[in-house]
Amino acid sequence: MFRYFENLIDPYSEYTQTDTPPTTLWAFLRGYCRPFYGVLVLMTVTEISIAALELGVIFGVGWFVDVIQTTPNLIVDYAVPGLIALAVFYLLIRPVLFGLNILLFNQTLDANSTMLIRWRAYRQVLRHSVGSFENDFAGRIANRVMETPNSISHVLGQVFGGLSYAIAFVFGALLMLLQTDARLILPLLVWLLLYSLLMRWTIRRVAKASKTASAARSALNGRIIDGYTNIHSVKMFAHDKAEIGYVKQGMETARVAFFQVNRLVSKMEITLSLLNGLLMVTVVGGAVILWLDNRVQVGSVVAATMLALRIDSMSEWVIHLITEIFRALGKVSEGMETIAQPVTLVDVPKAKLLQVPQAKIEICELSHHYGRDRGGLDRLNLTIQPGEKIGLVGRSGAGKSTLLKLLLRFYDVEAGKILIDGQDIAKITQDSLRAQIGMVQQDSSLLHRSVRDNIRYGRQNATQAEILAASKQAVAHDFIVDLKDLDGNSGYEALVGERGVKLSGGERQRISLARVILKNAPILLLDEATSALDSEIEAEILNTLYGMMQGKTVIAIAHRLSTIARMDRIIVMDNGSIVENGSHQALLAQNGQYATFWARQSGGFIDIKAVI
């Protein structure tokens, strides 16, 4: 039975992805809730049915009291059928309806809706450009992807569960009182008006305050994650107290924001207690007055009293429920700031797959300033022949890394174009472009998975023999076989820790090299590939790198000029432009920037202000 309801919805079913998600709250909710429309309708029907039957019980009790008052001799005739009907309702009909409602929510809606929304939100955010991730905290992005679906599921359960029951119950109560005596509905109508005004006042303020509180909580979460993620820096600079103060400041901001929400809730609860007192006095008192005036029978007084008591007990949790709904919607609105952002870096319609028979790279009038007036690249022209090895040199901010990011299409160029074997990379699929490029970065962060999985990331279908060959070529095999993690996994099965923190910088770099060796792409990008290695290992790795370069087109950024001295050409960049271009010997002979850089390094030091 449970499995049937659990399998009514497949959270991983195929759907049409969009580059422009809805930006309004209700449209956003509709899009993510569409797979659950049928379940939500059925939940609403069961809630309304439960409310109608409970009203029927109250009406039946009133009617039974009237029978006792007017025709007591018939009590025996009605008592047994009445008790049977009551037993059928409470022991059969009500449990079945409640059971169906509970199964629909717990087994079908709750886990599946959360996972479906989380799955689609994760995929949507993953499609964002690298720049989008660089402009936000990874912890905050992950928190929004994880928490927003919880809030949406909470809203669905409350609206189509408790709220639909409450609305049906109050509407049915009005009809019942109207049938008894129209004057009995006047106190309830007045109470409903005042209750609606209180709800409106609460919602308008709680929604705004909840969004502020949610943002404060998210910011606090980001501060905590930031400190833990950079724990090495915290400990190295002995800034435990500073971090504690930084997080305490975030906690206090969140605490003040929560106080604002709770103040509104307290005001609402105090006012509601007064309104409910007014409801009890007017409805019950009105019924008693009508009874004294022989306008209604005593059963109507009993029914009106039971209705007033039920509405009194229900009104508090309804307003709390609605407050919680708008609190959750505040969290959803915050999550939309990440999840509902448009995907700006997209493939053009009918984009083709990149074909790389030669790996010739042509950079034509390329400009990119990250939307600013300066920095980046400025009308850069460069042709790299198939199989040519190019070294990039320049001061910090010269545009070297920007060129590699544009070549990988992590950003769209602002002007100009990049061609690979005559194909404009803006008109081919991003996946096919990056599949043809291998890159080793200065920051060789790894996935918190096994060593094997990290190396196999270069080529998912690689065999064990190919993985071993790549790790040996990267001079990594010997230290890998000696690895052991806290869970008892060893060798290639050992977990490397978040971002590879359980390994040294050199070990991480060698695993990254093995990953790129395994990928074996025709274009190779190196961004300070040996920066984390000691001199002995660097010399060994350099031989590996030059072996990797055979038959490939290579662009290498290096601060250690010795690592690129053997390149076919060296490009010196400054302020986004090429200022020198030639072989190592030719550039030394020019006695320009490159010669200055070389003299400083060969002299035993590096001028930090003119870092290469």
Side-chain angles (χ1 to χ4, degrees):
M1 178 178 67
F2 290 118
R3 188 173 289 112
Y4 171 78
F5 285 95
E6 289 164 354
N7 293 332
L8 282 177
I9 298 293
D10 178 11
Y12 312 113
S13 60
E14 288 301 316
Y15 64 100
T16 303
Q17 289 185 302
T18 177
D19 298 329
T20 54
T23 55
T24 61
L25 178 61
W26 299 115
F28 180 82
L29 289 173
R30 281 199 306 272
Y32 277 104
C33 296
R34 190 168 289 114
F36 298 96
Y37 280 179
V39 175
L40 296 175
V41 169
L42 191 54
M43 284 180 61
T44 303
V45 170
T46 59
E47 290 287 354
I48 292 174
S49 300
I50 292 169
L53 288 169
E54 289 189 354
L55 284 167
V57 170
I58 293 174
F59 182 81
V61 169
W63 172 81
F64 193 70
V65 170
D66 284 339
V67 169
I68 294 174
Q69 285 288 110
T70 57
T71 53
N73 58 309
L74 295 178
I75 187 170
V76 176
D77 297 332
Y78 288 112
V80 174
L83 288 173
I84 293 174
L86 202 64
V88 169
F89 170 69
Y90 278 106
L91 297 179
L92 180 62
I93 299 176
R94 193 168 182 266
V96 167
L97 289 173
F98 264 112
L100 178 59
N101 191 268
I102 289 169
L103 288 170
L104 287 171
F105 179 74
N106 289 343
Q107 267 52 57
T108 304
L109 182 67
D110 191 24
N112 283 327
S113 66
T114 301
M115 211 53 64
L116 181 145
I117 298 166
R118 190 171 287 153
W119 167 245
R120 296 188 179 186
Y122 169 76
R123 293 184 65 184
Q124 182 70 18
V125 172
L126 195 64
R127 298 177 65 225
H128 290 175
S129 67
V130 170
S132 298
F133 288 90
E134 292 176 344
N135 293 328
D136 205 344
F137 293 109
R140 180 162 62 182
I141 294 173
N143 183 63
R144 287 173 172 174
V145 170
M146 291 297 293
E147 294 301 323
T148 301
N150 286 337
S151 298
I152 294 176
S153 178
H154 185 67
V155 168
L156 294 179
Q158 300 286 33
V159 170
F160 294 94
L163 195 58
S164 59
Y165 167 84
I167 293 172
F169 191 92
V170 172
F171 183 73
L174 284 170
L175 291 178
M176 183 182 293
L177 292 176
L178 182 63
Q179 185 180 8
T180 304
D181 192 296
R183 285 167 292 188
L184 283 176
I185 71 169
L186 293 177
L188 185 55
L189 288 175
V190 172
W191 177 87
L192 277 174
L193 175 62
L194 296 175
Y195 185 75
S196 300
L197 292 174
L198 175 62
M199 192 180 297
R200 182 172 179 268
W201 179 90
T202 303
I203 288 170
R204 292 181 63 179
R205 287 158 179 79
V206 166
K208 182 178 179 180
S210 293
K211 186 174 182 180
T212 302
S214 179
R217 183 179 60 84
S218 182
L220 172 61
N221 192 47
R223 291 190 180 203
I224 293 173
I225 292 174
D226 192 36
Y228 289 156
T229 302
N230 296 285
I231 192 65
H232 289 89
S233 297
V234 174
K235 297 297 183 182
M236 183 172 60
F237 289 97
H239 278 338
D240 292 53
K241 291 183 178 179
E243 284 301 306
I244 289 171
Y246 181 65
V247 170
K248 181 182 177 182
Q249 185 183 50
M251 285 186 175
E252 182 60 19
T253 300
R255 188 170 76 110
V256 170
F258 293 148
F259 279 155
Q260 295 302 317
V261 175
N262 290 340
R263 286 177 184 178
L264 292 170
V265 173
S266 296
K267 291 177 182 178
M268 175 269 294
E269 289 181 343
I270 293 170
T271 306
L272 181 60
S273 67
L274 179 63
L275 285 182
N276 285 343
L278 180 65
L279 175 68
M280 290 296 299
V281 170
T282 54
V283 171
V284 178
V288 170
I289 291 171
L290 290 173
W291 172 71
L292 291 173
D293 199 30
N294 293 321
R295 301 281 183 170
V296 297
Q297 295 181 342
V298 69
S300 299
V301 177
V302 172
T305 302
M306 292 177 67
L307 284 174
L309 287 169
R310 184 73 181 105
I311 293 172
D312 174 76
S313 63
M314 190 172 61
S315 62
E316 187 170 348
W317 68 255
V318 166
I319 204 164
H320 272 292
L321 179 146
I322 293 176
T323 301
E324 286 300 317
I325 287 173
F326 278 87
R327 281 183 178 178
L329 290 176
K331 294 178 183 179
V332 174
S333 295
E334 185 202 353
M336 287 176 60
E337 294 174 9
T338 295
I339 300 170
Q341 289 301 308
V343 179
T344 55
L345 191 66
V346 297
D347 293 337
V348 298
K350 298 182 180 179
K352 297 181 179 179
L353 300 179
L354 176 64
Q355 305 297 325
V356 188
Q358 296 181 308
K360 178 181 180 181
I361 301 173
E362 298 171 86
I363 299 168
C364 311
E365 293 291 311
L366 187 64
S367 295
H368 190 83
H369 305 288
Y370 298 98
R372 303 189 299 265
D373 295 331
R374 55 187 177 81
L377 301 175
D378 186 34
R379 301 184 66 181
L380 187 75
N381 289 283
L382 177 64
T383 298
I384 304 173
Q385 297 299 329
E388 190 175 14
K389 283 67 177 170
I390 298 293
L392 284 184
V393 177
R395 295 182 175 86
S396 179
K400 307 182 298 297
S401 295
T402 298
L403 178 58
L404 299 193
K405 289 179 179 179
L406 293 177
L407 185 58
L408 286 160
R409 206 183 164 206
F410 286 163
Y411 298 88
D412 274 328
V413 302
E414 294 174 2
K417 59 184 176 179
I418 299 174
L419 305 177
I420 296 179
D421 285 343
Q423 302 158 85
D424 189 342
I425 67 169
K427 297 179 181 178
I428 59 176
T429 66
Q430 297 175 60
D431 286 347
S432 69
L433 167 66
R434 294 163 192 157
Q436 301 294 338
I437 300 175
M439 184 171 184
V440 181
Q441 298 174 282
Q442 181 178 9
D443 179 16
S444 53
S445 64
L446 303 177
L447 300 161
H448 181 37
R449 300 171 194 175
S450 69
V451 173
R452 184 191 317 280
D453 287 341
N454 272 283
I455 296 176
R456 191 164 52 193
Y457 216 71
R459 182 155 50 88
Q460 294 287 348
N461 61 351
T463 65
Q464 177 65 13
E466 290 170 327
I467 292 172
L468 289 175
S471 64
K472 289 176 181 178
Q473 190 176 346
V475 197
H477 177 74
D478 289 343
F479 82 80
I480 289 174
V481 294
D482 292 331
L483 290 176
K484 192 169 185 178
D485 63 27
L486 295 177
D487 296 326
N489 302 306
S490 59
Y492 284 84
E493 301 304 324
L495 299 177
V496 302
E498 186 178 2
R499 296 174 61 85
V501 294
K502 294 182 180 180
L503 305 176
S504 69
E507 289 171 338
R508 291 198 300 271
Q509 196 75 322
R510 281 180 275 171
I511 289 177
S512 295
L513 283 170
R515 185 163 58 190
V516 174
I517 290 170
L518 190 64
K519 186 174 184 179
N520 194 28
I523 299 172
L524 182 61
L525 307 180
L526 305 173
D527 188 357
E528 286 299 307
T530 62
S531 62
L533 305 174
D534 57 48
S535 299
E536 183 179 351
I537 293 295
E538 181 189 14
E540 196 170 359
I541 291 295
L542 279 175
N543 291 327
T544 297
L545 285 175
Y546 279 101
M548 287 173 59
M549 294 178 191
Q550 297 305 312
K552 302 181 188 299
T553 301
V554 181
I555 302 176
I557 297 174
H559 290 170
R560 296 180 187 177
L561 300 187
S562 58
T563 63
I564 59 170
R566 292 159 54 187
M567 294 288 185
D568 298 326
R569 269 194 299 159
I570 296 172
I571 307 296
V572 182
M573 297 182 64
D574 192 24
N575 292 323
S577 301
I578 297 174
V579 294
E580 296 179 20
N581 184 350
S583 68
H584 170 71
Q585 293 298 334
L587 293 181
L588 289 180
Q590 289 182 19
N591 200 29
Q593 280 194 28
Y594 181 80
T596 302
F597 297 151
W598 181 263
R600 285 173 176 167
Q601 287 201 6
S602 60
F605 68 93
I606 300 176
D607 185 346
I608 299 300
K609 293 183 179 178
V611 66
I612 299 171

